[in-house]
Amino acid sequence: MTDTMNADAGTALAALAPDEHLTDSARRMRDEVLDFVPEMQKLGLEAEQRRALTDTVSVRLKEIGVWDLGAPLEYGGSASGARDLAAILEAVSRGDGSAGWLAQAGATNGTLVLAYPKSAVDEVYADAAAVNGPLLTGASVFARQVGAATKVDGGWKVSGKWGFGTGCRTATWNMVGVDYH
């Protein structure tokens, strides 16, 4: 994984989306990620052995803004559009394919959570700044076998068993699929 993509940042930059199609913030983020690619590649084997990104990679991607790509502006995110998102995710993936997968899942889940009531979204994003990785994950949201939810006083009682959810090692929130009664 780490030795397969040792392109220098200048070569990588030339292969990505033309600058005129990106916002200034996306261009900055993409370029910062590309500068970080060699370090990500060096840490790739350790990440693979841990089955999670290293703290160095997670923290640096947080500092760059990668974990907040799908979050709305009012919650501190960048609400990235498709071109910006694709360019940044491609740059992350040059450093570590797993990090690219994790970043796209985080961006997608950051958008999916907006389907919930505003009070729930406010609660999810309340501590977002403290999370060095995806804030929320989705486990089995679209799976055929899901857990169960039963309406109770004050909310829902949820039970079940869900498979691994991308980002679960850092996420403080998890969206899960349930059948409800």
Side-chain angles (χ1 to χ4, degrees), residues 1 13 24 29 41 44 64 75-77 79 81-82 88 92-94 105 120 147 151 157-158 161 166 174 177:
M1 173 169 72
L13 185 59
D24 290 341
M29 290 171 67
Q41 290 174 342
I64 293 170
Y75 293 104
I88 296 164
V92 172
S93 296
R94 286 176 182 269
K151 185 82 167 146
K157 178 182 177 185
V158 176
K161 182 177 179 180
T166 298
N174 192 6

Side-chain angles (χ1 to χ4, degrees), residues 107-162:
T108 302
N109 290 334
T111 303
L112 288 176
V113 74
L114 299 176
Y116 293 103
K118 185 177 180 338
S119 60
V121 177
D122 289 347
E123 191 174 347
V124 167
Y125 281 108
D127 296 322
V131 179
N132 288 320
L135 176 63
L136 65 153
T137 187
S140 307
V141 175
F142 302 110
R144 291 185 352 224
Q145 292 183 344
V146 295
T150 305
K151 185 82 167 146
V152 296
D153 289 339
W156 294 87
K157 178 182 177 185
V158 176
S159 62
K161 182 177 179 180
W162 294 269

Side-chain angles (χ1 to χ4, degrees), residues 64-83:
I64 293 170
V66 170
W67 303 130
D68 302 315
L69 289 171
L73 297 172
E74 61 269 28
Y75 293 104
S78 61
S80 295
R83 285 184 179 159

Side-chain angles (χ1 to χ4, degrees), residues 32-106:
E32 286 185 37
V33 168
L34 289 173
D35 288 343
F36 188 54
V37 161
E39 182 70 15
M40 291 174 69
Q41 290 174 342
K42 286 180 195 170
L43 295 169
L45 180 58
E46 180 183 345
E48 194 165 320
Q49 291 168 342
R50 294 175 63 181
R51 298 186 62 192
L53 298 181
T54 65
D55 293 342
T56 300
V57 171
S58 289
V59 168
R60 182 65 185 126
L61 293 179
K62 175 68 172 184
E63 291 168 351
I64 293 170
V66 170
W67 303 130
D68 302 315
L69 289 171
L73 297 172
E74 61 269 28
Y75 293 104
S78 61
S80 295
R83 285 184 179 159
D84 289 356
L85 193 59
I88 296 164
L89 294 176
E90 183 176 359
V92 172
S93 296
R94 286 176 182 269
D96 184 320
S98 295
W101 174 260
L102 191 56
Q104 70 75 30

